[in-house]
């Protein structure tokens, strides 16, 4: 398998992610979930995501679709399309899975994954994080 195939194997749809999560759970892996637009990947993202990955064994990143990014950030965004953003994110060695979501929040994806740890940037209060109640339960 070449390096590009390794990157592509980290890109999931919801059905394949559900199967992968079941395997990781069976192997008793601690699953961490983070999400965002990641339109222009920068050092802050790398710092945040690498620290998130250190909290468990598997890091799953939920990424907003192009349409979702436009709804959040305006009509001139994203700068990088979702295919590019997926591949860039999947190329990070500490990311195990990347999956798109188009809903206003990643709540349905969080319900699917049922992560052990949910990570957001430090500018959020814990109670304000979408999916907090799901993970806490």
């Amino acid at each position: 398998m070449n390096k590009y195939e390794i990157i592509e194997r980290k890109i999931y749809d919801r059905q394949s992610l559900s199967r992968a999560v079941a395997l990781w759970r069976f192997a008793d892996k601690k699953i961490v979930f983070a999400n965002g637009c990641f339109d222009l990947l920068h050092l802050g993202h790398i710092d945040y995501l690498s620290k998130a990955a250190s909290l468990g064994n598997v890091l799953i990143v939920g990424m907003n679709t192009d349409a979702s990014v436009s709804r959040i950030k305006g009509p001139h965004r994203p700068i990088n399309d979702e295919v590019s953003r997926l591949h860039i994110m999947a190329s990070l060695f500490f990311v195990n899975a990347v999956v798109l979501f188009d809903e206003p929040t990643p709540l349905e994806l969080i319900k699917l994954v049922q992560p052990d740890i949910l990570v957001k940037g430090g500018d959020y209060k814990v109670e304000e994080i979408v999916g907090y109640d799901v993970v806490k339960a």
Side-chain angles (χ1 to χ4, degrees):
M1 178 179 334
N2 68 40
K3 301 293 184 186
Y4 195 76
E5 289 171 333
I6 293 169
I7 292 168
E8 288 192 319
R9 284 182 165 221
K10 293 180 177 184
I11 299 171
Y12 290 82
D13 60 23
R14 289 183 194 216
Q15 186 177 19
S16 61
L17 182 63
S18 181
R19 289 190 299 268
V21 166
L23 290 172
W24 290 323
R25 290 250 177 257
F26 182 76
D28 203 30
K29 302 290 185 187
K30 185 184 285 188
I31 298 174
V32 180
F33 181 88
N35 70 278
C37 298
F38 304 109
D39 188 12
L40 294 173
L41 195 63
H42 56 73
L43 185 56
H45 292 134
I46 301 299
D47 181 58
Y48 150 69
L49 292 170
S50 64
K51 287 177 180 171
S54 296
L55 298 173
N57 308 109
V58 174
L59 175 60
I60 299 171
V61 178
M63 186 175 293
N64 297 74
T65 61
D66 287 348
S68 177
V69 173
S70 291
R71 288 191 299 269
I72 295 166
K73 297 188 178 270
H76 300 294
R77 299 286 293 275
I79 294 168
N80 291 305
D81 64 72
E82 64 193 41
V83 172
S84 298
R85 291 183 292 117
L86 281 169
H87 283 79
I88 291 166
M89 185 62 64
S91 72
L92 300 175
F93 77 93
F94 49 80
V95 171
N96 300 91
V98 186
V99 61
L100 288 171
F101 69 95
D102 191 55
E103 300 86 358
T105 72
L107 183 59
E108 293 307 312
L109 194 52
I110 292 167
K111 287 178 181 178
L112 172 77
V113 172
Q114 294 286 313
D116 299 294
I117 299 172
L118 180 61
V119 179
K120 272 308 259 184
D123 52 340
Y124 290 85
K125 292 180 183 174
V126 172
E127 299 79 23
E128 296 172 349
I129 298 172
V130 170
Y132 163 79
D133 55 336
V134 174
V135 176
K136 190 75 175 163

